[in-house]
Amino acid sequence: MNKKSESYIYKGNITNFIILTITSLFQTALMIIISLLLERIMAIATAKDLTALYEQGIIFIILLVSSILMYILIIYLKPKYQRKAITQYKNNIYKQILEKNISNFNKYNTSTYISALTNDVHKIEEDYLFSAFDLITNITLFLSTVVIMIIYSPLLTIAGILLSLLPFVGAVIVGGKLAFHEKEISNQNASFMHFVKDNLIGFSTIKVFKAEEKIKELFDKNNNILENKKANKTKTLAVMEMVQVILSTLSQFGVFFIGAYISIVTGDIEPSVILLFVQLMNYIINPLMQIPTTLSKRLACKPIFKKINDILKQDNDKEKNELINEINEITISNLEFMYDDKLILKGINHKFEKNKSYAIVGPSGSGKTTLINLLLCRENNYTGNIYYNNIEAKKISLDSLFEISSFVEQNVFIFDDSIINNVTMYSIVDEELLNNVLIKSGLIDLIKEKGKDYKCGENGCNLSGGEKQRISIARALINRSQLLLLDEATSALDNETASLITNHLLSIDNTTKIFITHKLDEDILTKFDEIIVMKNGKIVEFGKYKELLNNNSVFKSLVEFNN
């Protein structure tokens, strides 16, 4: 089981937390001492003792300087604690996201991860980071104040505590709704971000189909839902603040009134003590109001922590401990796969032999890409078997498989970085190998024209579709993998360039090559060791180019249709 993500807030940060807490407690003690000093000054004023008044003034200056020094120390320590806590917390979240396997990663959409790293972490920073520290200082302030008040007047202390419970009860009643609002806002934030991301990615589609008005209507609807949930939280906080202000004012007046009554009737309490009690009531009421609020906010963060921890959960990989360092053959036996209750692959049986080349062809929706994804272990909820050598794919360590295999997808993702960094994926590559790869992938002319450090832009917006596909092919060639899988890897290239690059790929030695292609050019397909024809989730025929044409079946009809 993964270590809970919130533990990284305190990892290596306990010393900062303890020092900050001790400093704040000392600051709290100074606040109480200054209140006692004010009571003393009032008593001295009544006695008209100037010498004693000067002495108290000197003591006050010493206390004030000490208080300023404590504040300066807190100003230094608080950002230091905050920076380390949030930095390593986010770093850990991102690390655990990167450690997820592809299938596990795809259980959540991208916006959920983005929301966790932005909105949710921001909420934790605001409402959780200093909550333990605030609880410790407020509880200490409350207990210390109660002890001092009892020393001066037990009777008035009882009255003060009972009256101070009024704002406390009000805060508890209203504050209980905060956790619900926080969870609602977090979930809606993720949904809103997903909507915005999808629409910005599909901007050109929106424009081409003139869907701006409908998309704007949907945006307004989602935005209104989010802001309404925020407004409900703000309303709850405003109600809580109003209740607290009214009840705390009533509490302070009640203590002052009762103290005055006791002083008039019994004479047991001096006026200076009454003023001290009114001052100390702040240190009773404020903690009692802040403690439930802090607890409410802290509890409101629990669902957010749970949400993040759920997102970061890994599949149980204990069974995936078989290492593979060589691929001799891949055997598929009775393979079936369902998606959304629809059977995509139906009883697939085939064998891929070492260092041979295979072309998978077939009409759209025949299951070609699904088959490749299963070979890459992107999904493991299939029935039947996929064997690498004699090891079931479900038991293979994915890291060991990815070490010796490469995959080129039709939809290429390009990082907003240089061409070379996109090709090498930030690894150090031998210069001779790199130049050879640039030539074979057809990137060399682009490099000569724009330079190795040319910025590709967000998802390759500065490149054409063909240029992005060349980068993807170059990435795969860099690895010199034993298994090379390509899904329509040359679809964005013209026929001449596609043929040239395919020939380069087929000429690679010591590599098993499996291509999905819609290009049924005879000059290319005759160079494959085997062509696999799929239709409706099944392999309907396989063999050499001319053999399949002579079968006068599905392959021949595909060739005739494309011509």
Side-chain angles (χ1 to χ4, degrees):
M1 181 178 287
N2 293 337
K3 191 175 182 180
K4 287 188 177 180
S5 60
E6 57 264 38
S7 65
Y8 285 85
I9 288 176
Y10 300 105
K11 185 179 179 182
N13 213 12
I14 293 295
T15 301
N16 289 331
F17 177 81
I18 291 172
I19 296 173
L20 185 59
T21 302
I22 291 172
T23 305
S24 299
L25 289 175
F26 190 75
Q27 179 66 34
T28 299
L30 287 174
M31 291 165 55
I32 295 174
I33 292 171
I34 289 173
S35 296
L36 293 172
L37 184 65
L38 293 176
E39 186 276 330
R40 179 63 182 157
I41 290 173
M42 282 297 300
I44 290 171
T46 304
K48 298 182 180 181
D49 187 345
L50 263 179
T51 302
L53 182 63
Y54 293 146
E55 291 174 354
Q56 298 304 312
I58 294 171
I59 293 172
F60 174 77
I61 292 172
I62 295 171
L63 291 173
L64 182 62
V65 171
S66 299
S67 182
I68 292 171
L69 291 175
M70 289 301 103
Y71 273 123
I72 292 172
L73 192 55
I74 291 170
I75 289 170
Y76 167 75
L77 289 171
K78 209 167 185 179
K80 184 180 178 182
Y81 169 73
Q82 179 183 29
R83 181 178 64 250
K84 185 167 186 177
I86 295 301
T87 298
Q88 61 190 23
Y89 182 58
K90 287 197 291 185
N91 287 347
N92 173 65
I93 291 175
Y94 199 67
K95 176 177 177 288
Q96 290 195 54
I97 290 173
L98 291 177
E99 288 174 349
K100 292 166 74 77
N101 61 50
I102 296 171
S103 174
N104 196 240
F105 177 85
N106 289 334
K107 289 180 180 178
Y108 299 91
N109 57 54
T110 308
S111 59
T112 302
Y113 296 109
I114 295 172
S115 179
L117 282 163
T118 53
N119 298 322
D120 292 341
V121 169
H122 178 67
K123 194 66 205 167
I124 288 166
E125 185 175 9
E126 278 192 333
D127 292 347
Y128 183 87
L129 187 60
F130 294 107
S131 60
F133 154 79
D134 290 337
L135 285 170
I136 291 171
T137 52
N138 276 313
I139 290 171
T140 303
L141 179 62
F142 174 80
L143 294 176
S144 302
T145 302
V146 169
V147 170
I148 292 170
M149 291 173 72
I150 290 173
I151 293 171
Y152 275 88
S153 174
L155 181 60
L156 193 53
T157 300
I158 293 172
I161 291 174
L162 291 175
L163 288 168
S164 64
L165 289 176
L166 292 175
F168 173 78
V169 172
V172 169
I173 293 171
V174 182
K177 297 181 180 180
L178 279 177
F180 171 78
H181 289 311
E182 293 296 356
K183 184 178 180 181
E184 288 282 296
I185 291 170
S186 175
N187 290 336
Q188 187 59 35
N189 255 322
S191 176
F192 180 72
M193 192 168 291
H194 175 62
F195 174 83
V196 172
K197 175 177 168 288
D198 268 4
N199 283 280
L200 292 179
I201 290 173
F203 182 80
S204 58
T205 304
I206 293 170
K207 298 300 291 185
V208 168
F209 288 93
K210 302 184 184 303
E212 298 98 321
E213 186 175 337
K214 181 60 179 177
I215 293 299
K216 178 62 168 58
E217 182 183 324
L218 291 171
F219 177 89
D220 291 347
K221 180 181 177 182
N222 278 277
N223 192 33
N224 285 335
I225 292 172
L226 175 60
E227 295 307 318
N228 282 337
K229 291 184 183 299
K230 289 182 180 178
N232 288 336
K233 177 198 166 185
T234 302
K235 181 180 178 181
T236 300
L237 287 171
V239 171
M240 181 187 293
E241 183 179 350
M242 177 194 71
V243 170
Q244 287 175 340
V245 169
I246 293 172
L247 294 179
S248 61
T249 302
L250 180 62
S251 298
Q252 285 184 307
F253 178 81
V255 167
F256 192 86
F257 186 87
I258 294 171
Y261 177 84
I262 294 172
S263 178
I264 292 170
V265 173
T266 66
D268 291 340
I269 299 178
E270 297 294 327
S272 61
V273 174
I274 297 173
L275 291 176
L276 172 64
F277 266 69
V278 172
Q279 176 68 23
L280 292 178
M281 278 295 289
N282 291 318
Y283 304 147
I284 292 287
I285 294 172
N286 288 339
L288 282 178
M289 289 194 299
Q290 290 177 19
I291 287 170
T293 302
T294 303
L295 281 173
S296 295
K297 289 182 176 181
R298 189 177 176 88
L299 291 172
C301 287
K302 280 194 172 184
I304 297 177
F305 277 124
K306 184 179 184 304
K307 172 187 170 185
I308 292 174
N309 288 329
D310 287 344
I311 291 170
L312 299 179
K313 275 182 183 175
Q314 307 283 6
D315 284 338
N316 188 357
D317 288 338
K318 288 182 179 179
E319 295 182 358
K320 297 183 178 183
N321 55 7
E322 295 281 354
L323 300 179
I324 181 169
N325 51 32
E326 185 178 3
I327 299 176
N328 295 318
E329 64 179 20
I330 304 171
T331 305
I332 300 173
S333 175
N334 298 319
L335 180 65
E336 295 195 344
F337 179 77
M338 294 188 71
Y339 182 77
D340 284 346
D341 297 326
K342 181 181 179 182
L343 193 59
I344 307 298
L345 297 181
K346 308 168 186 176
I348 301 288
N349 292 279
H350 206 74
K351 180 182 286 188
F352 299 93
E353 296 180 15
K354 183 176 182 179
N355 298 336
K356 287 190 175 183
S357 57
Y358 299 84
I360 302 178
V361 302
S364 177
S366 58
K368 303 184 297 294
T369 298
T370 301
L371 178 58
I372 291 290
N373 284 334
L374 293 182
L375 289 176
L376 277 169
C377 301
R378 286 186 162 183
E379 300 285 350
N380 60 12
N381 56 332
Y382 56 82
T383 59
N385 297 103
I386 300 173
Y387 292 104
Y388 279 84
N389 305 333
N390 294 315
I391 307 172
E392 221 299 325
K394 292 178 181 179
K395 296 182 179 180
I396 293 174
S397 163
L398 295 182
D399 286 341
S400 70
L401 178 61
F402 295 155
E403 280 285 332
I404 56 175
S405 62
S406 294
F407 180 45
V408 181
E409 298 182 79
Q410 182 177 2
N411 298 318
V412 183
F413 183 80
I414 302 294
F415 294 92
D416 187 9
D417 208 325
S418 67
I419 294 174
I420 289 302
N421 282 341
N422 268 287
V423 170
T424 64
M425 291 302 292
Y426 307 98
S427 61
I428 299 172
V429 178
D430 178 76
E431 193 68 26
E432 184 180 347
L433 171 63
L434 180 59
N435 289 331
N436 186 43
V437 164
L438 294 176
I439 293 170
K440 287 187 174 181
S441 63
L443 270 177
I444 195 68
D445 291 337
L446 178 64
I447 295 292
K448 288 178 180 178
E449 178 189 349
K450 298 183 176 180
K452 292 181 178 180
D453 296 325
Y454 179 75
K455 290 286 186 180
C456 299
E458 184 180 356
N459 199 19
C461 63
N462 296 334
L463 303 173
S464 68
E467 288 167 344
K468 289 195 283 187
Q469 283 197 330
R470 289 188 185 101
I471 287 176
S472 182
I473 291 168
R475 284 176 185 165
L477 294 178
I478 284 284
N479 288 338
R480 294 183 287 189
S481 303
Q482 295 182 37
L483 174 63
L484 182 60
L485 300 146
L486 298 98
D487 186 358
E488 303 283 14
T490 59
S491 60
L493 302 174
D494 61 84
N495 288 335
E496 183 179 350
T497 305
S499 178
L500 180 64
I501 291 176
T502 302
N503 285 331
H504 281 313
L505 294 172
L506 290 173
S507 67
I508 300 172
D509 295 327
N510 302 317
T511 301
T512 304
K513 297 165 280 284
I514 304 175
F515 291 34
I516 293 177
T517 180
H518 71 280
K519 296 179 184 291
L520 302 181
D521 187 273
E522 180 178 357
D523 291 338
I524 294 177
L525 290 181
T526 52
K527 295 176 182 178
F528 282 90
D529 293 306
E530 186 175 83
I531 300 168
I532 300 168
V533 185
M534 294 188 67
K535 184 179 180 181
N536 297 327
K538 297 180 179 180
I539 294 177
V540 292
E541 54 184 338
F542 58 89
K544 293 278 191 178
Y545 183 84
K546 289 185 178 179
E547 292 174 4
L548 293 174
L549 281 181
N550 292 334
N551 286 346
N552 199 28
S553 186
V554 177
F555 181 73
K556 184 177 181 180
S557 64
L558 286 171
V559 172
E560 290 175 348
F561 179 79
N562 278 272
N563 291 334

